[in-house]
Amino acid sequence: MKFTYQYKTSDGVRHSGEYVARSKTAVYDELRAKGIKAFGVEPAPGLLNRISSLLGWRLLAILFLVVISIVATVGYFRLKSEIPAVEDSVIFAPMRRQIIGDTAIIEDGIKNGWSEVFPEEGERFLASFAIPGVPAGVKTTNVEELEKALRRKVVVEQNDSMEAKQIKAMVEGMKDELRRYLEKGGTISKYGERLVDRQEQELSYYRRIKEEIETAVKSGLPDAEIEAKWKSGNAELRNMGIRLVPMPDAAE
């Protein structure tokens, strides 16, 4: 920290000066080594200098960096909250998941875009992208069909099958997602593109892990290693909400 001090020259004239040192004692010692007999050593005025006298310059510098970091972080998240998070609302869709129920019904629904549940193309398109990591049954539509879908409310009927109830709720959730996307500045066509891109990426994850497990079986790895690879691969898929890879048959 900075100190003020006084000293007298050989002619008896009093002088004053400033000196930076760790402590008062250091000021006396270091100035004495330079031939100056200092007296009246006191911390220099100033709030920052007073704080440094209590904390030390090194700790003060650390605290300063911490404060700057906190201010920058708060500013970043405040700015981020003010910018329309168009991409986030599409990437993170909690309503998308695997459907529970009859495997044959689910597979048939995936293939035809759940046409037995949804008579309209807009809903069939959304349903085709509701389940992560499966091939889309209806790959394309147009803006008009999705606009119509947004104006409709698909009601879950009491006599609906378990599978139909789930996919209806998921599609309505995706409509809400699309509405939020539009409110934040997105467009219907861009939303559709993001659905396709996301589904293709999920499919690539599934295919990669499936191929890795099949390759491990064909290469004749021990059963324990194959099982470990199968478990770790499926854990990765599970974390992304993608269907799991069944354990392949042993190599011939």
Side-chain angles (χ1 to χ4, degrees), residues 5 8 26 45 50 52 61-62 64 71 74 83 99 170 174 184 208 210 224 232:
Y5 66 94
K8 288 184 179 180
R50 293 289 180 179
S52 69
I62 293 173
F64 177 78
V71 171
V74 171
I83 297 174
I99 286 182
M170 292 161 71
M174 293 181 73
K184 294 176 181 178
R208 173 179 60 80
K210 185 173 183 290
S232 64

Side-chain angles (χ1 to χ4, degrees), residues 28-72:
Y28 287 114
D29 293 342
E30 291 175 20
L31 288 178
R32 187 180 299 112
K34 296 179 180 181
I36 300 174
K37 295 181 179 180
F39 62 92
V41 176
E42 296 292 342
L47 178 61
L48 185 60
N49 197 54
R50 293 289 180 179
I51 294 174
S52 69
S53 68
L54 298 174
L55 302 179
W57 279 104
R58 179 174 297 179
L59 182 56
L60 181 63
I62 293 173
L63 289 176
F64 177 78
L65 292 175
V66 169
V67 170
I68 292 297
S69 177
I70 292 172
V71 171

Side-chain angles (χ1 to χ4, degrees), residues 9-192:
T9 54
S10 57
D11 56 4
V13 177
R14 178 178 294 186
H15 301 273
S16 62
E18 292 184 344
Y19 193 81
V20 177
R22 297 188 305 275
S23 63
K24 280 186 178 183
T25 302
V27 174
Y28 287 114
D29 293 342
E30 291 175 20
L31 288 178
R32 187 180 299 112
K34 296 179 180 181
I36 300 174
K37 295 181 179 180
F39 62 92
V41 176
E42 296 292 342
L47 178 61
L48 185 60
N49 197 54
R50 293 289 180 179
I51 294 174
S52 69
S53 68
L54 298 174
L55 302 179
W57 279 104
R58 179 174 297 179
L59 182 56
L60 181 63
I62 293 173
L63 289 176
F64 177 78
L65 292 175
V66 169
V67 170
I68 292 297
S69 177
I70 292 172
V71 171
T73 302
V74 171
Y76 167 78
F77 284 108
R78 179 176 296 175
L79 179 62
K80 185 177 180 182
S81 67
E82 294 171 355
I83 297 174
V86 171
E87 305 299 331
D88 292 348
S89 66
V90 175
I91 296 172
F92 303 104
M95 76 292 299
R96 296 177 70 244
R97 59 177 178 80
Q98 300 299 310
I99 286 182
I100 301 171
D102 188 304
T103 302
I105 294 175
I106 295 170
E107 289 181 353
D108 189 54
I110 289 172
K111 288 178 182 177
N112 59 38
W114 298 87
S115 59
E116 294 183 3
V117 179
F118 304 110
E120 304 292 345
E121 182 180 302
E123 279 84 0
R124 292 200 299 272
F125 175 79
L126 294 174
S128 297
F129 298 92
I131 303 175
V134 299
V138 179
K139 296 181 174 64
T140 61
T141 188
N142 55 56
V143 171
E144 183 180 359
E145 290 297 332
L146 288 176
E147 287 176 340
K148 291 178 181 177
L150 288 178
R151 293 194 291 269
R152 288 190 292 265
K153 172 75 173 180
V154 177
V155 179
V156 176
E157 304 290 349
Q158 189 173 2
N159 61 346
D160 282 339
S161 67
M162 178 172 64
E163 297 82 8
K165 289 178 180 178
Q166 292 175 79
I167 195 66
K168 281 185 176 182
M170 292 161 71
V171 166
E172 285 303 303
M174 293 181 73
K175 288 181 185 180
D176 289 338
E177 178 188 59
L178 174 53
R179 293 184 183 102
R180 292 194 300 271
Y181 185 81
L182 296 175
E183 290 173 358
K184 294 176 181 178
T187 64
I188 289 178
S189 59
K190 183 64 176 177
Y191 178 82

